[in-house]
Structures are given as C-alpha cells and as structure tokens.
Amino acid sequence: MSLSANEYLKRILLAPVYDVAVKSDLVKLDKLSASLGNEVWLKREDQQVVKSFKLRGAYNKLASLNETQLQAGVVAASAGNHAQGVAYSARMKKIQAVIVMPETTPDIKVDAVRNFGGDYAKVVLFGTSFDQAKDEALRLSQVHGYTMVAPFDDEDVIVGQGTIGRELLEQKPDIDTLFIAVGGGGLAAGISVFLKQLKPDLKIIAIESDESACLQAALKAGKPVPLPTVGIFADGVAVKTIGTEPFRLLQEYVDEVITVNTDEICAAIKDIFDDTRVIAEPAGALSIAGIHKYLQQNPMQGHKFGGILCGANINFHTLRYVSERCELGEQKEAVFAVKIPEHAGAFKKFCELLGGRIITEFNYRYATEGEAHIFVGIKLRGGRAEFAQLSDTLNDNGYQCFDLSANEMAKLHVRYMVGGRPANLQNEHIFSFEFPEYPGALMKFLNTLGETWNITLFHYRNHGAAAGLVLCGFEIPPAQRDVFDQHLAALDYQYQEQTDNPAYRFFLSDLNGVFAK
C-alpha cells in the first residue's frame, strides 16, 4: 500500500539525508530576473558532493534498510547521477554496492562512480542500453540477495528528494510558482507532496524535455506508458516510462506540465552560467528553460519563481554543442536557406537586404548555371518577429527563403555538409540513426546494411553523450524497400527516415521539388 500524503510529510521532516547532503543554497538570478521582469530563484543542488540531488534519495533508501539488508549489500542500475549517489552513500554507510552501467557509458561517468564509491562500490558494465543494465541488476539482486535501489520509483527515494521542498519552504516561503524537472518523476513527486500540504496555493509546474515527455504521455493515457524512443541530449531525464508511485503523486499535486526543446535547454544553460558561472547539465537546466516557456505562454511580471538546478555532471565536450545552439534557443539567431541567382552582383544585393545584421554562418554552393543555394545564420535583436520581417523582405525581392531554425537535421548535420550533390543518383533515401558509443557499433551497422545497398552519404556528430548521431543515405530500388526495412529492424538502432526533410532536399538531393513540401 502506498504511503499517505501525511506519512510522506512526516518522513521528509525526519529524513537523515544530512548525514551526507548539504542544505544547498537558494540564489537569486539577478540578470535573468531583470530581463524577465520576475524574480527567479535557483536551488543549487550542484553543491552536493556528487553534483546532483540524487544523493538525497539514494542515501535515504540505504538509511531505511535493516541490518540484514545492509550486510547483504545493494545493487543499482544507472549510467549517471543515481549511480554516483548510490556509490557515495554506500561508502558512507560502509556497505557493498554493485552498480550496473551500460557498456556505452562514457569513461568519465564510470570513473566518477568508482571514485565516489571507493572500495565499497563495484562497477559492472553490462549491455548496450539502460534496460539491459537494469535487467542484469534485477538478476543480481535475485541471485545474491542485494537490495535494489531504484532511481525514482521507490517511496524512500522519493522521501529523500522531498527534503529539497523542506529547504525551499524555509529559505523562500513566498515563492508563488515552482518549476521542477521530470525524468522518472521522483524529484517532482517528493517536493510536490511535501509543499502542497503546507502551501496549497503554490503553483507547481513540471518541466520535461520534448524528447522524453513520459509524464505528459502518462497523463494522456491515465497511466504510465512507455515512450517508443527518448532523446539523448538531456540524458538525466531520458526516461521512457514515468515511475508508478511518482505518477500517482504527480497526478494529484502538479498543476501543469510544460515541454522544452533542445535549443531552449541550451539557452537555459547559458542563463545559469551568466548569473552563477556554474555550468548545468542539460537536465539540470530544465526548470529555467521552463520558466522562459511559461512566460512566453503567460506574460506576467512581479512574480517569484523558483527552479532547481538538479545536476551539473556535464560532459565537457557537450559544451561545443550547447554553445552552437543556445542563441537559437534564446531566439537571438535564425538559420535559413535561400536561393539566389547565379550572376554577378546577386550576392551583394542579398547582403544589402540583410540590413546590416551580423552574419553568424554562411555556407554557399553553386547549384546550376542559373542559381546558387546558401545556408545562412544571422543575429536577431527582435526575436522571431524580426526574422519574419526579413523573410518577407527577401521574398518580395525574389529570393526564396526557407526557415531552418527548427529543423533538427539542418542544425545537427546539414550545416556542416553544404558543398555537394550527386550528379546522377536515383532512389536515394536518407535516415538519421543513433549509434551506441561502443566498439563494434559501426561494423554492426555496416555488416547489417552496408554490404547490400550502396551507401551514398554518411555524416557523424557526437556531442558528448552515450550515443552518436549519424545521417546516412542509401540507394534503395523500390522493389528492395521491404527487404531494407527488414534489415533496419534487425539492426535495432533508433532511426528516422529523413528523405522528405526540406534541409536535405534543399542542399543535398537533386534539385527537383525543393520547395514542393
């Protein structure tokens, strides 16, 4: 039987998390507050020794175990912050912990778990996905009698995370709207079940990545349901299915759910850095991205907003990607494609129409004797409204303009590939793939798909995550498409066909029907 709301309240008040956790600071983001016209307060969970809130729930779970369970040890499956929280907690409790991590986990995260756990944490690398690692952890718990420490779907873990709500109420009792990131839901469940009982007029808004919106899917279905796929950028919230117990609580205590995209998350990372000089991980910046989105949808001033920087375990190499995308998220940049006539003076006229705007990117490719195609990035001072005006101006002057600011394939791949087309290639089909980052992933791909069909295009991008992003083209005669699809299923990599994507059609395919869709 689930805990009652009152029982959660009592347990959160008595939770022994401060054996290992610190009461993290609540800081006002002065620059962001001034720009938004509302006070924005940020709870600094990056100040925990493992750089995330996960320590609270992991330690509270271990503290709830009896002596027999402690002696038997614990097991957890995680590729991120939960693994570090369990490892450090096991070290503090002086018990043995087994941490099962996918083989694709970056070395920096594996090393962090080993360092936090010391002699008390053993890392087991198993499988190429979280689900496989979780199944192995469950098997080990059954074989060896370990207690499974779940990352979010556990009452004791939820109680531990709820101690953040207790601190918030002490530090800033007049916050009127609180924004909380949601992955599996343990953080938002613990905070909301505590605060809503003591301050029922407080508005709580859950923030999800639009690539892993499992709470929205569950609310729509009336129960937790698995997402077909999840994105890899905000890996701290990349959860396919919301936890059963968190969902029960969130249904009752969360007032609204907002989703944010990758560019908006990158902009929020920059916002936090500008005010604090702290670099949040993508999941850690969700609450700030949510505040921006909420104010776009509900313009207001004079309110007191709270958010939680729930983690700062960012891979350094991710920063180049964040830097590329943050101004798009802030609507301070636009990227677009333009057809220009291929004759003397055409480029100069185009630049004149830009009206002195700063060009952030320019890729040019000769297309035919009559026209050229260019990929352009420009700085915006007036947001999307300014770009709409520019687009109208270009169209009025005979330049066909196609906005690519929201086109993921264009931003991730095509901007780096502008420069060539096949001279005569029939039946080309384009797919985007997620490649697991482990030895043999490319050869598996080639052995499954590359020997039967001609590969016509290949572009790889990695932004410091556990999977690389690949754009690949194949020459597939119509009669062979069913067979190709069978090989795709056997490959078992996440993929999406991009053949009709306008960025591909504009820059990389033949010239027929570029603006048809």
Side-chain angles (χ1 to χ4, degrees):
M1 184 176 177
S2 300
L3 292 180
S4 67
N6 185 254
E7 187 63 26
Y8 269 114
L9 182 67
K10 291 178 183 178
R11 292 197 185 188
I12 289 170
L13 289 170
L14 298 172
V17 299
Y18 301 105
D19 293 348
V20 294
V22 299
K23 182 178 179 180
S24 59
D25 293 339
L26 182 69
V27 299
K28 185 180 178 185
L29 303 185
D30 291 320
K31 291 181 180 178
L32 187 60
S33 297
S35 68
L36 295 180
N38 296 274
E39 290 185 17
V40 179
W41 294 81
L42 189 66
K43 184 73 168 152
R44 291 281 308 278
E45 281 300 288
D46 62 290
Q47 294 175 340
Q48 304 301 339
V49 66
V50 300
K51 306 300 180 187
S52 98
F53 75 96
K54 289 286 189 177
L55 178 63
R56 296 174 184 259
Y59 187 82
N60 195 62
K61 177 63 179 179
L62 268 59
S64 72
L65 302 181
N66 59 41
E67 193 60 33
T68 301
Q69 291 171 317
L70 290 172
Q71 289 184 5
V74 299
V75 64
S78 171
N81 295 337
H82 179 60
Q84 297 178 37
V86 173
Y88 186 79
S89 298
R91 181 179 174 183
M92 294 297 101
K93 296 290 287 184
K94 294 182 169 54
I95 68 169
Q96 293 300 313
V98 176
I99 313 294
V100 185
M101 310 179 80
E103 295 171 3
T104 56
T105 306
D107 289 343
I108 188 173
K109 293 186 176 182
V110 176
D111 292 341
V113 171
R114 288 174 174 151
N115 290 335
F116 282 125
D119 295 335
Y120 294 94
K122 175 185 176 183
V123 174
V124 173
L125 298 177
F126 185 90
T128 59
S129 69
F130 172 75
D131 288 340
Q132 292 173 343
K134 181 181 177 181
D135 289 343
E136 175 64 6
L138 287 169
R139 188 190 71 81
L140 292 172
S141 70
Q142 294 166 359
V143 172
H144 299 288
Y146 302 143
T147 296
M148 188 79 174
V149 183
F152 47 81
D153 203 0
D154 182 285
E155 292 170 343
D156 293 307
V157 171
I158 292 170
V159 167
Q161 323 303 25
T163 57
I164 295 173
R166 165 179 152 191
E167 294 171 19
L168 276 167
L169 197 59
E170 295 170 351
Q171 293 168 317
K172 189 68 179 171
D174 59 345
I175 284 177
D176 55 66
T177 311
L178 182 62
F179 298 78
I180 312 174
V182 170
L187 175 67
I191 294 174
S192 61
V193 71
F194 181 86
L195 288 177
K196 279 289 193 176
Q197 292 182 79
L198 300 175
K199 192 177 179 183
D201 59 334
L202 173 68
K203 189 169 187 178
I204 295 181
I205 300 177
I207 311 300
E208 294 188 288
S209 164
D210 63 3
E211 296 184 332
S212 54
C214 57
L215 174 56
Q216 276 201 341
L219 290 170
K220 184 176 180 179
K223 62 181 180 180
V225 291
L227 298 172
T229 61
V230 295
I232 59 175
F233 177 61
D235 57 348
V237 292
V239 176
K240 283 189 175 182
T241 309
I242 195 84
T244 300
E245 178 63 3
F247 178 64
R248 182 183 75 85
L249 297 170
L250 296 175
Q251 269 188 308
E252 183 172 356
Y253 296 112
V254 163
D255 297 289
E256 189 176 339
V257 183
I258 292 176
T259 61
V260 293
N261 63 36
T262 295
D263 292 345
E264 290 164 340
I265 295 170
C266 291
I269 293 173
K270 181 177 180 291
D271 283 332
I272 293 171
F273 177 80
D274 285 345
D275 257 304
T276 66
R277 292 301 183 262
V278 171
I279 302 175
E281 64 183 86
L286 277 179
S287 61
I288 298 301
I291 290 173
H292 275 285
K293 194 70 163 282
Y294 180 73
L295 288 174
Q296 290 171 13
Q297 298 170 351
N298 308 278
M300 61 183 69
Q301 289 191 333
H303 286 260
K304 295 178 173 62
F305 295 151
I308 299 163
L309 198 176
C310 50
N313 286 309
I314 189 169
N315 187 321
F316 182 79
H317 298 294
T318 305
L319 296 179
R320 64 184 179 188
Y321 180 86
V322 172
S323 178
E324 287 174 0
R325 303 292 285 268
C326 63
E327 293 210 327
L328 285 164
E330 294 175 315
Q331 298 186 3
K332 294 180 179 178
E333 183 183 21
V335 293
F336 56 99
V338 180
K339 272 185 177 183
I340 67 172
E342 188 60 74
H343 62 71
F347 177 52
K348 179 175 181 291
K349 179 184 176 184
F350 167 75
C351 291
E352 288 171 348
L353 291 172
L354 293 182
R357 293 177 178 87
I358 295 172
I359 296 175
T360 60
E361 184 165 358
F362 192 92
N363 294 304
Y364 164 86
R365 178 61 174 168
Y366 175 95
T368 70
E369 291 185 359
E371 67 183 27
H373 294 175
I374 56 178
F375 185 106
V376 185
I378 59 166
K379 287 271 191 182
L380 298 175
R381 296 182 179 88
R384 297 298 300 169
E386 179 186 350
F387 178 74
Q389 293 174 353
L390 174 62
S391 181
D392 290 342
T393 299
L394 291 172
N395 287 323
D396 290 345
N397 282 270
Y399 293 89
Q400 288 181 286
C401 179
F402 194 93
D403 185 12
L404 298 176
S405 301
N407 188 308
E408 192 65 20
M409 191 178 95
K411 293 181 290 186
L412 191 64
H413 294 288
V414 173
R415 70 198 305 176
Y416 305 103
M417 300 174 67
V418 175
R421 298 173 184 275
N424 183 19
L425 181 63
Q426 300 296 317
N427 302 316
E428 184 178 51
H429 294 260
I430 303 295
F431 298 84
S432 56
F433 293 90
E434 289 185 13
F435 268 40
E437 287 290 352
Y438 68 89
L442 176 59
M443 287 309 302
K444 178 183 177 182
F445 176 85
L446 294 175
N447 288 335
T448 306
L449 297 176
E451 293 186 327
T452 306
W453 293 276
N454 181 36
I455 293 178
T456 59
L457 175 152
F458 193 93
H459 184 254
Y460 167 81
R461 284 283 287 165
N462 179 278
H463 50 249
L469 302 176
V470 172
L471 190 70
C472 192
F474 299 90
E475 191 173 13
I476 310 170
Q480 295 183 20
R481 181 55 196 261
D482 288 344
V483 179
F484 180 83
D485 288 342
Q486 292 172 16
H487 280 68
L488 272 182
L491 179 66
D492 198 29
Y493 288 178
Q494 290 190 28
Y495 73 92
Q496 183 175 0
E497 183 161 6
Q498 303 282 0
T499 307
D500 289 332
N501 190 299
Y504 161 71
R505 295 165 67 83
F506 194 94
F507 288 107
L508 303 174
S509 72
D510 62 58
L511 295 175
N512 296 322
V514 166
F515 288 100
K517 296 190 178 182

